Amino acid sequence: MTVNREIHLAARPFGEPRPQDFDLVTTALPDLAEGQVLVRNTWMSVDPYMRERMHDAESYLPPFQLDAPLDGSAIGEVVASRSADIPVGTTVVHFLGWREYAAVDAAAATVADLALAPAEAWLGALGTTGLTAYAALTQVAPVREGDVVLISAAAGAVGSIAGQLARKLGASRVIGSAGGTLKAKKLVQDFGYDAAIDYRAGSVAEQLAKAAPDGIDVYVDHVGGDHLVAAIDALRHGGRIAMVGAISSYNAAEPVPGPSNLFTLAAKDATLRGMLINSYFHLFPEWIGKAAGWLADGSLHTELTVAEGIERAPAAFLDMMRGGNVGKMLVRL
């Protein structure tokens, strides 16, 4: 192979992204500098946070540049090396996805032990996806024995793990919200939720009142909007909210109003805390040690939605943003 294919950002989306906002570009294989490895990517991830990086605005990660490759989590095999620490044949996780080959600094590559789990799991349960669920429920909005827990986007990458983890941490009842009857059924049948809210079927607040008539103690928020309003109203005294994402507003073309009931948190002595996964990377060894065992014994169930080929990466991203995935959305390269 002498050429590389990459996905570039062709235009900054206004509102919902479109296929023409992306370009498939053929380039030469990257040259290696001292201390770098050439990785043939085998899997790459598409994630909701990437939508925010398509704006020309600084955030906790820099914006994607126009006419340049996007990036994100990927895993692959080292096919050339100028690093004494990472030989050819090693499988590594890194952050230069959206391309078939990547020149990666050895210091920015993490060796993946495929004896613990297959390569794709290192972008899902054993990657930042699983770590987000773990940090949210142990550090940001800790689950206590007997808690009632609500999780939005519960059939998605983080949510499908978070529901099972809440139970392992002692929750007495776990409620998930997802879009559509099929996803709602999967929450209960496959991901171990006690009850499911189909937000497309009616009021989130009314469905939550039926699912948790005595209120909730913990809410992991991936959606914002009406889900966050309903969760604040349903919180019991001392309740905790982890604000992980707000996918309902990511494609908004103008500022989105915040919840009108925020002061309710004061009366309930409750907390709402945002989280950036970068602040919890120190928990990776602890999480991988637990999660690898659960994957091996079958007590942690995961699912993938897979698109085939680099050319399908933009469509996979768009499908994921519309809720077209169950579990982790990945592209196999």
Side-chain angles (χ1 to χ4, degrees), residues 23-315:
D23 273 339
L24 176 63
V25 177
T26 299
T27 65
L29 280 184
D31 293 325
L32 290 185
E34 189 64 34
Q36 289 187 322
V37 294
L38 182 65
V39 182
R40 180 179 61 81
N41 289 332
T42 53
W43 295 87
M44 57 162 277
S45 176
V46 293
D47 300 286
Y49 77 87
M50 294 174 174
R51 176 63 186 88
E52 293 290 276
R53 296 186 65 197
M54 293 176 189
H55 296 301
D56 189 15
E58 288 295 331
S59 183
Y60 65 96
L61 287 173
F64 293 128
Q65 297 302 302
L66 290 176
D67 301 317
L70 293 87
D71 57 48
S73 296
I75 190 168
E77 181 185 356
V78 174
V79 294
S81 177
R82 295 189 65 186
S83 166
D85 300 321
I86 303 181
V88 169
T90 307
T91 298
V92 296
V93 181
H94 59 90
F95 206 66
L96 292 180
W98 294 87
R99 66 203 80 186
E100 291 176 319
Y101 287 82
V104 181
D105 292 339
T110 301
V111 176
D113 183 357
L114 298 189
L116 281 181
E120 57 270 29
W122 291 88
L123 297 182
L126 298 188
T128 54
T129 295
L131 183 66
T132 298
Y134 186 63
L137 291 171
T138 61
Q139 308 295 313
V140 183
V143 173
R144 301 166 186 159
E145 194 73 29
D147 277 349
V148 177
V149 177
L150 170 66
I151 297 166
S152 59
V158 177
S160 58
I161 293 173
Q164 299 171 78
L165 181 57
R167 176 84 67 216
K168 290 179 179 291
L169 293 170
S172 63
R173 185 167 175 79
V174 186
I175 303 159
S177 172
T181 33
L182 291 179
K183 281 190 177 181
K185 286 180 181 178
K186 284 191 73 69
L187 292 184
V188 176
Q189 294 175 357
D190 299 331
F191 295 122
Y193 281 84
D194 295 295
I197 292 169
D198 176 3
Y199 65 80
R200 295 177 182 167
S203 163
V204 171
E206 291 176 5
Q207 293 183 74
L208 180 56
K210 292 178 182 178
D214 297 322
I216 63 173
D217 301 288
V218 170
Y219 173 46
V220 179
D221 187 23
H222 300 106
V223 174
D226 59 348
H227 283 71
L228 180 56
V229 172
I232 290 172
D233 282 340
L235 272 186
R236 298 199 278 218
H237 185 84
R240 284 114 30 227
I241 298 176
M243 182 176 283
V244 179
I247 197 169
S248 67
S249 65
Y250 287 171
N251 287 332
E254 55 188 41
V256 177
S260 60
N261 59 345
L262 278 177
F263 191 68
T264 305
L265 297 169
K268 296 181 177 184
D269 197 22
T271 59
L272 186 158
R273 182 178 171 188
M275 68 168 289
L276 287 178
I277 192 56
N278 314 46
S279 300
Y280 301 95
F281 284 167
H282 64 281
L283 295 177
F284 251 134
E286 179 182 320
W287 167 243
I288 290 173
K290 295 175 185 289
W294 292 333
L295 288 173
D297 67 20
S299 66
L300 179 61
H301 172 70
T302 61
E303 292 193 24
L304 300 176
T305 302
V306 177
E308 299 286 349
I310 187 72
E311 65 277 2
R312 289 285 302 160

